[in-house]
Amino acid sequence: MPTLLHIDTSVFPGEASASRSVTATFRKEWEAQHPNGTVIYRDLAAEPLPHLDGLAAAAGFAAPDQRSPEQHAAFALRETLAGELEQADVVLIGAPMYNFTIPSTLKAWLDHVIIMGRTAGAEETTTSGTPTIVVASRGGGYGPGTPRESFEFVTNYLGKALGDGLGLDVTFVVPELTLARSNPAMADLVELSDASKAKAHEDVAAKAKELATRFAAA
């Protein structure tokens, strides 16, 4: 049975988080199709990873038999995280926009799993082609043609880091204007906000079914 790697990063719990609610819809549909499958779950807000340090970074560039005992110890977490990514048949990431970019906890995860010559830096990496759904929620609107288009550093960055860097096959689902119901200044955008959220749930449910069908036929 296929393995799903599910990563949430929102600092808000449950339905208070747009990204968590949408990733939950994907996972519910996925598990309905694969009740006996494996799900690896990391809540990086509840259990944040340490930042990459010099020892762990240097260990990634050294052959295993040439690492010092300290480097071996420092690399252990990177090995675990990279192994989870390599094991995954599908990756699901909740990536809300905080201050125009991704949560720092997600950046820490990326710094650990991007290992040159293994998961990255080669024409074919150990993670190449893995279907990856990124729920990139945001409180406002940052799409093409909007006044704040140039402030968008979530899909731009993750498209490069996940797609070009790790070789993942990335699909973005973008629920936007999520603050419309709580911000009086956005009251006239509530209808658009609700439509965007509904579409996000529909899109991830459809994507989960599509991928489930693909792996059932494999």
Side-chain angles (χ1 to χ4, degrees), residues 120-122 125 158-168 170:
T125 73
L158 290 178
K160 297 298 183 183
L162 298 174
D164 295 351
L166 292 168
L168 304 175
V170 183

Side-chain angles (χ1 to χ4, degrees), residues 49-61:
L49 300 167
H51 288 294
L52 185 68
D53 62 19
L55 276 172
F61 292 98

Side-chain angles (χ1 to χ4, degrees), residues 138-200:
R138 63 277 315 275
Y142 297 83
T146 61
R148 288 202 163 188
E149 177 183 359
S150 65
F151 288 77
E152 208 287 334
F153 299 104
V154 175
T155 60
N156 287 339
Y157 170 69
L158 290 178
K160 297 298 183 183
L162 298 174
D164 295 351
L166 292 168
L168 304 175
D169 181 9
V170 183
T171 298
F172 287 102
V173 176
V174 185
E176 60 181 0
L177 305 171
T178 61
L179 293 177
R181 286 194 170 274
S182 59
N183 184 348
M186 299 174 66
D188 60 337
L189 299 174
V190 167
E191 187 174 342
L192 289 175
S193 170
D194 290 348
S196 179
K197 182 177 180 179
K199 185 176 187 303

Side-chain angles (χ1 to χ4, degrees), residues 43-68:
D43 185 337
L44 299 183
E47 297 184 35
L49 300 167
H51 288 294
L52 185 68
D53 62 19
L55 276 172
F61 292 98
D65 61 355
Q66 295 179 352
R67 293 172 188 157
S68 69

Side-chain angles (χ1 to χ4, degrees), residues 84-141:
E84 290 175 352
L85 179 59
E86 291 166 331
Q87 179 185 344
D89 296 291
V90 175
V91 179
L92 173 66
I93 300 174
M97 177 186 282
Y98 292 158
N99 299 314
F100 311 122
T101 189
I102 63 173
S104 62
T105 51
L106 181 54
K107 179 60 165 64
W109 178 81
L110 285 165
D111 288 340
H112 284 291
V113 301
I114 295 175
I115 303 173
M116 300 305 292
R118 179 173 166 179
T119 61
E123 189 170 329
E124 280 292 322
T125 73
T126 55
T127 55
S128 288
T130 303
T132 301
I133 297 82
V134 178
V135 180
S137 59
R138 63 277 315 275

